Coordinates of all heavy atoms in Angstrom, one line a residue:
M238 N 13.8 3.9 -9.9 CA 13.6 5.2 -9.4 C 15.0 5.8 -9.1 O 15.8 5.2 -8.6 CB 12.8 5.1 -8.1 CG 12.7 6.5 -7.4 SD 11.7 6.4 -5.8 CE 10.1 6.1 -6.4
Y239 N 15.2 7.0 -9.6 CA 16.4 7.7 -9.4 C 16.2 8.8 -8.3 O 15.3 9.6 -8.4 CB 16.9 8.5 -10.7 CG 18.2 9.2 -10.4 CD1 19.4 8.6 -10.4 CD2 18.1 10.6 -10.3 CE1 20.5 9.3 -10.1 CE2 19.2 11.4 -10.0 CZ 20.5 10.7 -10.0 OH 21.6 11.4 -9.7
I240 N 16.9 8.6 -7.2 CA 16.8 9.5 -6.1 C 18.2 10.3 -5.9 O 19.2 9.7 -5.8 CB 16.6 8.7 -4.8 CG1 15.3 7.8 -5.0 CG2 16.5 9.6 -3.6 CD1 15.1 6.8 -3.8
N241 N 18.0 11.6 -5.9 CA 19.2 12.5 -5.9 C 19.7 12.6 -4.5 O 19.0 12.3 -3.6 CB 18.8 13.8 -6.5 CG 20.0 14.5 -7.2 OD1 21.1 14.3 -6.9 ND2 19.7 15.4 -8.1
A242 N 20.9 13.2 -4.4 CA 21.5 13.5 -3.1 C 20.7 14.3 -2.1 O 20.1 15.3 -2.5 CB 22.9 14.1 -3.2
G243 N 20.6 13.8 -0.9 CA 19.9 14.6 0.1 C 18.4 14.4 0.2 O 17.7 14.9 1.1
A244 N 17.8 13.6 -0.8 CA 16.4 13.3 -0.8 C 16.0 12.3 0.2 O 16.8 11.4 0.6 CB 15.9 12.9 -2.2
Y245 N 14.8 12.4 0.8 CA 14.4 11.3 1.8 C 13.1 10.7 1.2 O 12.2 11.3 0.9 CB 14.0 12.0 3.1 CG 13.4 11.0 4.1 CD1 14.1 10.1 4.8 CD2 12.0 10.9 4.3 CE1 13.6 9.1 5.6 CE2 11.4 10.0 5.1 CZ 12.2 9.1 5.8 OH 11.7 8.2 6.6
V246 N 13.2 9.3 1.0 CA 12.1 8.6 0.5 C 11.8 7.5 1.5 O 12.6 6.6 1.9 CB 12.4 7.9 -0.9 CG1 11.2 7.1 -1.3 CG2 12.8 9.0 -1.8
S247 N 10.6 7.6 2.1 CA 10.2 6.6 3.2 C 9.9 5.3 2.6 O 9.8 5.1 1.3 CB 8.9 7.1 3.9 OG 8.6 6.4 4.9
D248 N 9.7 4.2 3.4 CA 9.5 2.9 3.0 C 8.0 2.7 2.5 O 7.2 3.6 2.8 CB 9.8 1.9 4.1 CG 9.1 2.2 5.4 OD1 8.6 3.3 5.6 OD2 8.9 1.3 6.2
G249 N 7.8 1.7 1.7 CA 6.4 1.5 1.2 C 6.1 2.2 0.0 O 5.1 2.1 -0.6
R250 N 7.1 2.9 -0.5 CA 6.8 3.7 -1.8 C 7.0 2.8 -3.0 O 7.6 1.8 -3.0 CB 7.8 4.9 -1.9 CG 9.3 4.7 -1.8 CD 9.9 4.3 -3.2 NE 11.3 4.1 -3.0 CZ 11.9 2.9 -3.2 NH1 11.2 1.8 -3.2 NH2 13.2 2.8 -3.1
D251 N 6.4 3.2 -4.1 CA 6.4 2.4 -5.3 C 6.7 3.4 -6.5 O 6.0 4.3 -6.7 CB 5.0 1.7 -5.5 CG 5.0 0.8 -6.8 OD1 6.1 0.5 -7.3 OD2 3.9 0.6 -7.3
G252 N 7.8 3.2 -7.1 CA 8.2 4.1 -8.2 C 8.6 3.2 -9.5 O 9.4 2.3 -9.3
R253 N 8.0 3.4 -10.5 CA 8.1 2.6 -11.7 C 8.6 3.4 -12.9 O 8.2 4.5 -13.1 CB 6.8 1.9 -12.0 CG 6.4 1.0 -10.9 CD 5.2 0.2 -11.2 NE 4.8 -0.5 -10.0 CZ 4.2 -1.6 -10.0 NH1 4.0 -2.2 -11.1 NH2 4.0 -2.2 -8.9
F254 N 9.4 2.8 -13.7 CA 9.9 3.4 -15.0 C 10.5 4.7 -14.9 O 10.0 5.7 -15.4 CB 8.7 3.3 -16.0 CG 8.2 2.0 -16.2 CD1 7.0 1.7 -15.7 CD2 8.9 1.0 -16.8 CE1 6.4 0.4 -15.9 CE2 8.3 -0.3 -17.0 CZ 7.1 -0.6 -16.5
T255 N 11.5 4.8 -14.1 CA 12.4 6.0 -13.9 C 11.7 7.3 -13.5 O 12.0 8.3 -14.2 CB 13.3 6.2 -15.2 OG1 12.5 6.5 -16.3 CG2 14.1 5.0 -15.4
P256 N 11.0 7.4 -12.5 CA 10.6 8.7 -11.9 C 11.9 9.3 -11.3 O 12.8 8.6 -10.9 CB 9.6 8.4 -10.9 CG 9.8 7.0 -10.4 CD 10.4 6.3 -11.7
L257 N 11.9 10.7 -11.3 CA 13.1 11.3 -10.7 C 12.7 12.1 -9.4 O 11.7 12.7 -9.4 CB 13.6 12.3 -11.8 CG 14.1 11.8 -13.1 CD1 14.4 13.0 -14.0 CD2 15.2 10.9 -13.0
V258 N 13.5 11.9 -8.4 CA 13.3 12.6 -7.1 C 14.5 13.5 -6.9 O 15.6 13.0 -6.7 CB 13.1 11.6 -6.0 CG1 12.9 12.4 -4.7 CG2 11.9 10.7 -6.2
G259 N 14.2 14.8 -6.9 CA 15.3 15.8 -6.7 C 15.9 15.9 -5.4 O 15.4 15.4 -4.4
S260 N 16.9 16.7 -5.3 CA 17.7 16.8 -4.0 C 16.8 17.5 -3.0 O 16.0 18.4 -3.3 CB 18.9 17.8 -4.3 OG 19.7 17.2 -5.2
C261 N 16.9 17.0 -1.8 CA 16.2 17.5 -0.6 C 14.6 17.3 -0.6 O 13.9 17.8 0.3 CB 16.5 18.9 -0.3 SG 18.2 19.2 -0.1
A262 N 14.1 16.6 -1.6 CA 12.7 16.3 -1.6 C 12.4 15.3 -0.5 O 13.3 14.5 -0.2 CB 12.3 15.7 -3.0
Q263 N 11.2 15.3 -0.1 CA 10.8 14.4 1.0 C 9.5 13.6 0.6 O 8.4 14.3 0.3 CB 10.5 15.2 2.3 CG 11.7 15.9 2.8 CD 11.4 16.8 4.0 OE1 10.5 16.6 4.7 NE2 12.3 17.8 4.2
I264 N 9.5 12.4 0.5 CA 8.4 11.5 0.1 C 8.0 10.7 1.2 O 8.8 10.0 1.8 CB 8.8 10.6 -1.1 CG1 9.5 11.4 -2.2 CG2 7.6 9.8 -1.6 CD1 8.7 12.4 -3.0
G265 N 6.7 10.7 1.5 CA 6.1 10.0 2.7 C 5.9 8.5 2.4 O 6.3 8.0 1.3
R266 N 5.2 7.8 3.3 CA 5.0 6.4 3.3 C 3.9 6.1 2.3 O 3.0 6.8 2.1 CB 4.6 5.8 4.6 CG 5.7 6.1 5.7 CD 5.1 5.7 7.1 NE 5.1 4.2 7.2 CZ 6.1 3.6 7.8 NH1 7.1 4.1 8.2 NH2 6.0 2.2 7.9
N267 N 4.0 4.9 1.7 CA 3.0 4.3 0.8 C 2.6 5.2 -0.4 O 1.4 5.3 -0.7 CB 1.8 3.9 1.6 CG 2.1 2.9 2.7 OD1 2.9 2.0 2.4 ND2 1.5 3.1 3.8
C268 N 3.6 5.9 -1.0 CA 3.3 6.7 -2.2 C 3.6 6.0 -3.4 O 4.6 5.2 -3.4 CB 4.2 8.0 -2.1 SG 3.8 9.1 -0.8
H269 N 2.9 6.3 -4.4 CA 3.1 5.7 -5.8 C 3.5 6.8 -6.7 O 2.7 7.8 -6.9 CB 1.9 4.9 -6.3 CG 2.1 4.4 -7.6 ND1 2.7 3.2 -7.9 CD2 1.9 4.9 -8.9 CE1 2.7 2.9 -9.2 NE2 2.3 4.0 -9.8
I270 N 4.7 6.7 -7.2 CA 5.2 7.7 -8.2 C 5.3 7.1 -9.5 O 6.1 6.2 -9.8 CB 6.6 8.3 -7.7 CG1 6.4 8.8 -6.3 CG2 7.0 9.4 -8.7 CD1 7.7 9.3 -5.7
S271 N 4.5 7.5 -10.5 CA 4.4 6.8 -11.8 C 5.4 7.2 -12.7 O 6.3 8.0 -12.5 CB 2.9 7.2 -12.4 OG 1.9 6.7 -11.6
A272 N 5.4 6.6 -13.9 CA 6.4 6.7 -14.9 C 6.6 8.1 -15.3 O 5.7 8.9 -15.5 CB 6.0 5.8 -16.1
A273 N 7.9 8.4 -15.5 CA 8.4 9.7 -16.0 C 8.0 10.9 -15.1 O 8.1 12.1 -15.6 CB 7.9 9.9 -17.5
S274 N 7.6 10.8 -13.9 CA 7.3 11.9 -13.0 C 8.5 12.5 -12.5 O 9.6 11.8 -12.4 CB 6.4 11.4 -11.9 OG 5.2 10.9 -12.3
Q275 N 8.5 13.8 -12.3 CA 9.7 14.5 -11.8 C 9.2 15.3 -10.5 O 8.4 16.1 -10.6 CB 10.2 15.5 -12.8 CG 10.6 14.8 -14.1 CD 11.2 15.7 -15.1 OE1 11.2 17.0 -14.8 NE2 11.5 15.2 -16.3
I276 N 9.9 14.9 -9.4 CA 9.7 15.6 -8.1 C 10.8 16.5 -8.0 O 12.0 16.1 -7.8 CB 9.6 14.6 -7.0 CG1 8.7 13.4 -7.3 CG2 9.3 15.3 -5.7 CD1 7.3 13.8 -7.6
G277 N 10.6 17.9 -7.9 CA 11.6 18.9 -7.9 C 12.5 18.8 -6.6 O 12.0 18.4 -5.6
G278 N 13.7 19.3 -6.8 CA 14.6 19.4 -5.7 C 15.1 20.7 -5.6 O 14.8 21.6 -6.3
V279 N 15.9 21.0 -4.5 CA 16.4 22.3 -4.3 C 17.7 22.2 -3.6 O 17.9 21.5 -2.6 CB 15.4 23.2 -3.6 CG1 15.1 22.6 -2.2 CG2 16.0 24.6 -3.3
L280 N 18.8 22.7 -4.1 CA 20.1 22.9 -3.5 C 20.4 24.3 -3.1 O 21.0 24.5 -2.0 CB 21.2 22.3 -4.3 CG 21.2 20.8 -4.5 CD1 22.3 20.4 -5.4 CD2 21.4 20.1 -3.2
E281 N 20.0 25.2 -3.9 CA 20.2 26.6 -3.6 C 19.0 27.4 -4.2 O 18.4 26.9 -5.1 CB 21.5 27.2 -4.2 CG 22.2 26.3 -5.2 CD 23.4 27.0 -5.7 OE1 24.5 26.9 -5.1 OE2 23.3 27.5 -6.8
P282 N 18.8 28.6 -3.8 CA 19.4 29.3 -2.7 C 19.1 28.7 -1.3 O 18.2 27.8 -1.2 CB 18.8 30.7 -2.8 CG 17.5 30.6 -3.4 CD 17.6 29.3 -4.4
V283 N 19.8 29.1 -0.4 CA 19.7 28.6 1.0 C 18.3 28.6 1.5 O 17.8 27.6 2.2 CB 20.7 29.2 1.9 CG1 20.5 28.7 3.4 CG2 22.1 29.1 1.4
G284 N 17.5 29.6 1.3 CA 16.1 29.7 1.8 C 15.1 29.1 1.0 O 13.9 29.1 1.4
A285 N 15.4 28.4 -0.1 CA 14.4 27.8 -0.9 C 13.8 26.6 -0.2 O 14.4 25.9 0.6 CB 15.0 27.3 -2.2
L286 N 12.5 26.3 -0.5 CA 11.8 25.2 0.1 C 11.8 23.9 -0.7 O 11.6 24.0 -1.9 CB 10.4 25.7 0.4 CG 10.2 26.9 1.3 CD1 8.8 27.3 1.3 CD2 10.7 26.6 2.7
P287 N 11.9 22.8 -0.1 CA 11.9 21.5 -0.8 C 10.5 21.1 -1.1 O 9.5 21.6 -0.5 CB 12.6 20.6 0.1 CG 12.2 21.0 1.5 CD 12.2 22.5 1.4
V288 N 10.3 20.1 -2.0 CA 9.0 19.5 -2.2 C 8.8 18.5 -1.1 O 9.6 17.8 -0.7 CB 9.0 18.7 -3.5 CG1 7.7 17.8 -3.7 CG2 9.1 19.7 -4.7
I289 N 7.6 18.5 -0.4 CA 7.2 17.6 0.6 C 5.9 16.9 0.1 O 4.9 17.6 -0.1 CB 6.9 18.3 1.9 CG1 8.2 19.0 2.4 CG2 6.4 17.3 3.0 CD1 8.1 19.9 3.6
I290 N 6.0 15.6 -0.1 CA 4.8 14.8 -0.4 C 4.5 13.9 0.8 O 5.3 13.1 1.2 CB 5.1 14.0 -1.7 CG1 5.3 14.9 -2.8 CG2 3.9 13.0 -1.9 CD1 5.6 14.2 -4.2
E291 N 3.3 14.1 1.4 CA 3.0 13.4 2.6 C 2.6 11.9 2.3 O 2.7 11.5 1.1 CB 2.0 14.1 3.4 CG 2.5 15.4 3.9 CD 1.5 16.2 4.7 OE1 0.3 15.7 4.9 OE2 1.8 17.3 5.2
D292 N 2.1 11.2 3.2 CA 1.7 9.8 3.1 C 0.6 9.5 2.2 O -0.3 10.3 2.0 CB 1.4 9.1 4.5 CG 2.6 9.3 5.5 OD1 3.7 9.4 5.0 OD2 2.3 9.2 6.7
D293 N 0.6 8.3 1.5 CA -0.5 7.8 0.7 C -0.9 8.7 -0.5 O -2.0 8.9 -0.8 CB -1.7 7.5 1.6 CG -1.4 6.6 2.7 OD1 -0.8 5.5 2.4 OD2 -1.8 6.9 3.9
V294 N 0.1 9.2 -1.2 CA -0.2 10.1 -2.4 C 0.1 9.3 -3.6 O 1.1 8.5 -3.7 CB 0.7 11.3 -2.3 CG1 0.6 12.2 -3.6 CG2 0.3 12.2 -1.1
L295 N -0.7 9.5 -4.7 CA -0.5 8.9 -5.9 C -0.1 10.0 -6.9 O -0.9 11.0 -7.0 CB -1.9 8.3 -6.5 CG -1.8 7.9 -8.0 CD1 -0.9 6.7 -8.2 CD2 -3.2 7.6 -8.5
V296 N 1.1 9.9 -7.5 CA 1.5 10.9 -8.5 C 1.4 10.2 -9.9 O 2.2 9.3 -10.1 CB 3.0 11.3 -8.2 CG1 3.5 12.3 -9.2 CG2 3.1 12.0 -6.8
G297 N 0.5 10.7 -10.7 CA 0.3 10.1 -12.0 C 1.5 10.3 -13.0 O 2.4 11.0 -12.7
G298 N 1.4 9.6 -14.1 CA 2.5 9.5 -15.1 C 2.8 10.9 -15.6 O 1.9 11.7 -15.9
N299 N 4.1 11.2 -15.8 CA 4.6 12.4 -16.4 C 4.2 13.7 -15.7 O 4.0 14.8 -16.3 CB 4.2 12.5 -17.9 CG 5.0 13.4 -18.7 OD1 6.2 13.6 -18.3 ND2 4.5 14.0 -19.7
C300 N 4.0 13.6 -14.4 CA 3.7 14.8 -13.6 C 4.9 15.5 -13.2 O 6.0 15.0 -13.1 CB 3.0 14.4 -12.2 SG 1.3 13.9 -12.4
G301 N 4.8 16.8 -12.9 CA 5.9 17.6 -12.4 C 5.5 18.3 -11.1 O 4.5 19.1 -11.1
V302 N 6.3 18.1 -10.1 CA 6.0 18.8 -8.8 C 7.2 19.7 -8.5 O 8.3 19.2 -8.3 CB 5.8 17.8 -7.7 CG1 5.4 18.5 -6.4 CG2 4.7 16.8 -8.0
L303 N 7.0 21.0 -8.5 CA 8.1 21.9 -8.4 C 8.4 22.3 -7.0 O 7.6 22.1 -6.1 CB 7.8 23.2 -9.2 CG 7.4 22.9 -10.7 CD1 7.0 24.2 -11.4 CD2 8.5 22.3 -11.4
Q304 N 9.6 22.9 -6.8 CA 10.1 23.3 -5.4 C 9.1 24.1 -4.7 O 8.4 24.9 -5.2 CB 11.4 23.9 -5.6 CG 11.4 25.3 -6.0 CD 12.8 26.0 -6.1 OE1 13.8 25.3 -6.0 NE2 12.8 27.2 -6.0
G305 N 9.1 23.8 -3.4 CA 8.2 24.5 -2.5 C 6.8 24.0 -2.4 O 6.0 24.5 -1.5
T306 N 6.5 23.0 -3.2 CA 5.1 22.4 -3.1 C 4.9 21.4 -2.0 O 5.8 20.6 -1.7 CB 4.8 21.7 -4.4 OG1 5.0 22.6 -5.5 CG2 3.4 21.1 -4.5
V307 N 3.8 21.6 -1.2 CA 3.5 20.6 -0.1 C 2.2 19.9 -0.6 O 1.2 20.5 -0.8 CB 3.4 21.3 1.2 CG1 2.9 20.3 2.2 CG2 4.6 22.0 1.6
V308 N 2.3 18.5 -0.7 CA 1.1 17.7 -1.1 C 0.6 17.0 0.2 O 1.3 16.3 0.8 CB 1.6 16.7 -2.2 CG1 0.3 15.9 -2.6 CG2 2.2 17.4 -3.3
S309 N -0.7 17.3 0.5 CA -1.3 16.7 1.7 C -1.5 15.2 1.5 O -1.5 14.6 0.5 CB -2.6 17.3 2.0 OG -2.5 18.7 2.1
K310 N -1.8 14.6 2.7 CA -2.1 13.1 2.7 C -3.2 12.7 1.8 O -4.2 13.4 1.6 CB -2.3 12.6 4.1 CG -1.2 12.7 5.0 CD -1.6 12.2 6.4 CE -0.5 12.3 7.3 NZ -0.8 11.7 8.6
K311 N -3.0 11.5 1.1 CA -4.1 10.8 0.3 C -4.6 11.6 -0.8 O -5.8 11.6 -1.2 CB -5.2 10.4 1.2 CG -4.8 9.4 2.3 CD -6.0 8.9 3.2 CE -5.5 8.0 4.2 NZ -6.6 7.4 5.0
R312 N -3.7 12.4 -1.5 CA -4.1 13.2 -2.7 C -3.6 12.5 -3.9 O -2.5 12.1 -4.1 CB -3.5 14.5 -2.7 CG -3.8 15.4 -1.5 CD -5.2 15.9 -1.6 NE -5.6 16.6 -0.4 CZ -6.8 17.0 0.0 NH1 -7.8 16.6 -0.8 NH2 -7.0 17.6 1.1
P313 N -4.5 12.3 -4.9 CA -4.1 11.7 -6.2 C -3.8 12.9 -7.2 O -4.5 13.9 -7.2 CB -5.3 11.0 -6.6 CG -6.4 11.7 -6.0 CD -6.0 12.3 -4.8
F314 N -2.8 12.7 -8.1 CA -2.6 13.6 -9.2 C -2.9 12.9 -10.5 O -2.5 11.8 -10.7 CB -1.1 14.1 -9.2 CG -0.8 15.0 -8.2 CD1 0.4 14.8 -7.4 CD2 -1.5 16.1 -7.8 CE1 0.8 15.6 -6.4 CE2 -1.2 16.9 -6.8 CZ 0.0 16.7 -6.2
S315 N -3.6 13.5 -11.4 CA -3.7 12.9 -12.7 C -2.5 13.0 -13.5 O -1.5 13.7 -13.2 CB -4.9 13.6 -13.4 OG -4.6 14.9 -13.7
A316 N -2.4 12.2 -14.7 CA -1.3 12.2 -15.5 C -1.1 13.6 -16.1 O -2.0 14.4 -16.4 CB -1.5 11.2 -16.6
Q317 N 0.2 14.0 -16.2 CA 0.7 15.2 -16.8 C 0.3 16.4 -16.1 O 0.3 17.6 -16.7 CB 0.3 15.3 -18.3 CG 0.8 14.1 -19.1 CD 0.3 14.2 -20.6 OE1 -0.3 15.1 -21.0 NE2 0.8 13.2 -21.3
A318 N 0.0 16.3 -14.8 CA -0.3 17.5 -14.0 C 1.0 18.2 -13.7 O 2.1 17.6 -13.6 CB -1.0 17.1 -12.8
R319 N 1.0 19.6 -13.5 CA 2.1 20.3 -13.1 C 1.8 21.2 -11.9 O 0.8 21.9 -11.9 CB 2.5 21.3 -14.2 CG 3.0 20.6 -15.5 CD 4.4 20.0 -15.3 NE 4.9 19.4 -16.6 CZ 4.9 18.1 -16.8 NH1 4.6 17.3 -15.8 NH2 5.4 17.7 -17.9
F320 N 2.6 21.1 -10.8 CA 2.3 21.9 -9.6 C 3.6 22.6 -9.2 O 4.7 22.1 -9.2 CB 1.9 20.9 -8.5 CG 0.6 20.2 -8.8 CD1 0.6 19.0 -9.3 CD2 -0.6 21.0 -8.5 CE1 -0.7 18.4 -9.6 CE2 -1.8 20.3 -8.7 CZ -1.9 19.1 -9.3

């Protein structure tokens, strides 16, 4: 798992085969981030919102979660989904 500067990834997460977590993204507890998934980050502009993924979320393979997205607890994403 590649975690960029300023990102917060809680314990209990599982990331396999190089998922990317962008700057300032926030990942909750017990999340599974599958292969080739990209969690968007944000450094600028100053008012831009980060990605927030709450606890117990499954992000399927090759998913893209873009800046400003908030994912509620216990939500699964299928493979190749874009949000």
Side-chain angles (χ1 to χ4, degrees):
M238 177 180 287
Y239 178 77
I240 302 171
N241 209 335
Y245 174 77
V246 179
S247 187
D248 53 342
R250 56 86 178 109
D251 182 19
R253 301 186 181 210
F254 304 109
T255 64
L257 303 174
V258 179
S260 300
C261 300
Q263 300 173 23
I264 311 292
R266 301 173 76 92
N267 301 321
C268 291
H269 178 87
I270 303 173
S271 298
S274 295
Q275 298 179 6
I276 309 301
V279 59
L280 287 176
E281 15 178 82
V283 177
L286 299 172
V288 171
I289 299 173
I290 297 180
E291 295 182 359
D292 301 339
D293 302 312
V294 172
L295 168 71
V296 179
N299 201 25
C300 282
V302 184
L303 304 178
Q304 73 179 20
T306 303
V307 177
V308 181
S309 300
K310 292 182 179 183
K311 299 183 180 182
R312 301 287 178 194
F314 289 133
S315 64
Q317 301 182 1
R319 298 283 184 255
F320 296 94

